[in-house]
Amino acid sequence: MEKILQEQGKKYDSFYLYDQQIILDSINNLKNNFRGIDFLYSVKSNPHSLVLDTIFSKGIGSDSASLNEVLISKEKGLSKEKIYFSAPGKSRKSIEKAIDISVIIADSLSEIELIDEIGKKKKISVNIGVRINPNFSFTQDIGSPSKFGIDEDNFVENINLLKSKKNIKITGIHVHVKSQELKCENLIRYYKNMFALSEKIQNLLGYDLEFINLGSGIGITYSLNDVPIDISNLAKETLKIIDKYKDRFKKTKIFIETGRYLVGKSGIYVSKVLDKKVSHGKTYIILTNTLNGFIKPSISKMVTKYEKDNPASYEPLFTCEDSFELKTLKKDISKEKVNLVGNLCTAIDVIAQDIDFPILEKDDLVIMTNAGAYSAVISPMQFSSQEKPVELFLNTKKEILL
Ligand SMILES: *Cc1c(COP(=O)(O)O)cnc(C)c1O
């Protein structure tokens, strides 16, 4: 890997590198443990074309958060039953274009009206999912206000009205209330609540649900202090819950969605030292495209400065203060105190302050880990019209593809 990075560092001043083997290992780890469960990949976490090819070729479907993600998934060869379009505030145009090629998850009562109306015009009945904002969270048995989905009570109150609609049929439910959970017991508690909710809704509808989408939640380690989730135990407990409900959901597909679990650890971000200077006793290392190329380290600095109470609610912009490691390829381990900053004309472009770091010179590379999910896609690359970092893909034959 070191040689690969050195070589690419000669060609590019900043780049992402996604390692296909790590993605494949994560896929296998989920599929081998969660037997009988279907997975959807949250495309918004990393829509790189070769990343999508890798994931979709393993039979994983698409959790699309926009019309464009639906269209990309379709172009990649996924059939309608493998593309789920879930997002708040879908436009009429996006519904019209997605209606024949994906399963639309309605996010509000008015959106159900809209789909019904579009169905009527097209003289079809549209099978839809509904996103529910449930009366529970990962840790409590109360609901909370949300811009996502239809409140559970509101859905139940309107069930007869919804059943009377001629051009839609509710065939599945979707809930997603939290990302990046590392406590197995919280996920299990959540899944139990999800099956109880699904049973209640199925009874109210009076016919069998075709799918239950459990959403995401499964976290990955970011900080070196994070304890990885025991996937094998989580899967075992989840399959036990499913087994308890097997008579009620005989033909129902169970989905788990995930973005970061498949790709989060597969990516690194590499940035080259452009300059080094000392100012009033402080040493500044000026790197290529930090805030604008990989925003998470700079955001880390900002969020922890301003938000003391619940910084974790800033997912996926912010996960935790040390959500990445900083590394170099230097063999010499003598260190100095430095500030690592970027080359933008703003003072907030800072990724580390007063840290002890191996002594860097111009053209050395700094490597940042955990850059596979919500990294390139959420970084403001247009800012100051810099040359953008490239996104490289390392396949299992150790070839670099652009
Ligand atoms: C973003 C998103 C996910 C993916 O979350 P991860 O933490 O990356 O697994 C899943 N479901 C929905 C509805 C999302 O918006």
Side-chain angles (χ1 to χ4, degrees):
M1 185 56 111
E2 211 178 301
K3 224 178 97 207
I4 293 171
L5 295 180
Q6 299 280 21
E7 271 169 28
Q8 300 308 317
K10 285 190 192 116
K11 287 192 225 166
Y12 307 108
D13 290 346
S14 65
F15 60 93
Y16 282 90
L17 183 76
Y18 307 124
D19 186 338
Q20 184 176 36
Q21 189 60 54
I22 296 177
I23 301 173
L24 291 170
D25 291 346
S26 311
I27 294 172
N28 284 336
N29 199 23
L30 286 185
K31 290 181 77 164
N32 293 339
N33 282 295
F34 287 93
R35 300 249 172 222
I37 290 188
D38 289 290
F39 287 91
L40 301 177
Y41 174 58
S42 301
V43 175
K44 75 177 190 289
S45 65
N46 186 336
H48 188 280
S49 177
L50 298 170
V51 169
L52 295 182
D53 289 341
T54 304
I55 292 171
F56 293 157
S57 73
K58 294 293 167 187
I60 290 171
S62 168
D63 162 31
S64 297
S66 67
L67 172 64
N68 274 335
E69 291 186 356
V70 170
L71 295 172
I72 293 166
S73 305
K74 155 96 177 151
E75 249 167 59
K76 292 286 181 192
L78 293 194
S79 62
K80 180 176 177 176
E81 311 70 60
K82 290 220 136 174
I83 306 175
Y84 291 78
F85 180 15
S86 186
K90 297 179 202 73
S91 68
R92 174 186 289 269
K93 178 185 135 196
S94 68
I95 291 171
E96 281 171 350
K97 294 207 163 161
I99 206 162
D100 295 326
I101 57 171
S102 67
V103 179
I104 296 177
I105 311 277
D107 204 78
S108 67
L109 292 173
S110 47
E111 205 172 277
I112 297 179
E113 295 276 347
L114 180 57
I115 301 169
D116 188 54
E117 187 194 313
I118 294 169
K120 191 169 178 184
K121 231 168 54 188
K122 288 174 71 95
K123 299 198 174 67
I124 52 171
S125 172
V126 190
N127 287 350
I128 60 168
V130 173
R131 182 156 173 181
I132 305 285
N133 177 31
N135 290 337
F136 54 83
S137 69
F138 270 42
T139 49
Q140 288 185 299
D141 285 323
I142 43 166
S144 52
S146 171
K147 75 168 189 180
F148 298 105
I150 303 169
D151 282 0
E152 180 180 333
D153 293 343
N154 196 13
F155 181 76
V156 169
E157 281 156 23
N158 283 283
I159 196 90
N160 286 327
L161 175 74
L162 296 174
K163 278 164 74 173
S164 74
K165 298 211 171 294
K166 297 272 181 302
N167 298 88
I168 57 114
K169 182 182 181 197
I170 295 165
T171 55
I173 69 161
H174 175 210
V175 174
H176 170 72
V177 289
K178 186 174 188 286
S179 275
Q180 187 49 22
E181 176 63 57
L182 287 171
K183 286 207 181 94
C184 214
E185 68 265 26
N186 288 350
L187 279 155
I188 292 163
R189 184 182 187 284
Y190 168 70
Y191 291 154
K192 280 184 183 153
N193 276 326
M194 275 300 296
F195 277 92
L197 172 67
S198 304
E199 182 181 35
K200 172 174 133 181
I201 289 177
Q202 178 167 283
N203 287 340
L204 287 169
L205 288 171
Y207 50 81
D208 289 352
L209 285 172
E210 283 175 21
F211 69 89
I212 300 168
N213 183 338
L214 300 171
S216 178
I218 302 174
I220 57 172
T221 54
Y222 284 94
S223 166
L224 293 175
N225 299 320
D226 284 342
V227 179
I229 198 155
D230 181 347
I231 289 290
S232 131
N233 182 48
L234 175 65
K236 229 186 304 167
E237 294 300 319
T238 306
L239 295 182
K240 268 192 223 161
I241 302 167
I242 293 177
D243 194 55
K244 262 175 69 186
Y245 281 91
K246 69 171 187 282
D247 293 339
R248 274 145 291 173
F249 299 115
K250 280 202 183 87
K251 287 186 207 139
T252 310
K253 263 199 211 170
I254 311 296
F255 289 112
I256 287 178
E257 296 173 320
T258 179
R260 76 189 64 215
Y261 189 84
L262 296 189
V263 298
K265 309 286 290 182
S266 77
I268 54 170
Y269 184 64
V270 182
S271 170
K272 195 185 283 180
V273 176
L274 296 169
D275 202 357
K276 179 173 182 174
K277 64 173 81 164
V278 177
S279 166
H280 290 262
K282 281 196 191 287
T283 302
Y284 288 87
I285 305 288
I286 299 177
L287 295 163
T288 315
N289 293 345
T290 55
L291 167 68
N292 55 318
F294 178 33
I295 196 176
K296 286 191 83 166
S298 313
I299 284 282
S300 245
K301 284 265 147 298
M302 281 184 254
V303 170
T304 42
K305 192 166 167 190
Y306 293 114
E307 171 67 47
K308 302 275 183 238
D309 295 338
N310 186 18
S313 63
Y314 286 70
E315 270 288 345
L317 272 179
F318 171 83
T319 307
C320 57
E321 195 165 5
D322 49 354
S323 68
F324 54 93
E325 271 182 275
L326 290 169
K327 300 180 184 177
T328 69
L329 302 174
K330 303 289 275 197
K331 291 281 178 290
D332 181 359
I333 49 150
S334 46
K335 292 185 174 178
E336 64 180 338
K337 205 175 266 308
V338 293
N339 289 335
L340 298 181
V341 301
N343 58 329
L344 292 181
C345 294
T346 160
I348 57 168
D349 190 7
V350 176
I351 64 170
Q353 271 165 316
D354 296 321
I355 58 162
D356 287 314
F357 206 68
I359 295 173
L360 293 169
E361 306 300 339
K362 190 166 156 45
D363 292 334
D364 282 341
L365 301 177
V366 172
I367 297 151
M368 302 165 219
T369 61
N370 299 329
Y374 311 107
S375 297
V377 277
I378 61 168
S379 300
M381 292 187 188
Q382 308 92 308
F383 191 15
S384 97
S385 305
Q386 302 283 347
E387 194 178 328
K388 289 177 188 170
V390 293
E391 293 180 78
L392 304 172
F393 186 82
L394 179 68
N395 71 12
T396 52
K397 294 181 209 137
K398 302 287 170 212
E399 296 160 337
I400 291 283
L401 308 170
L402 249 181

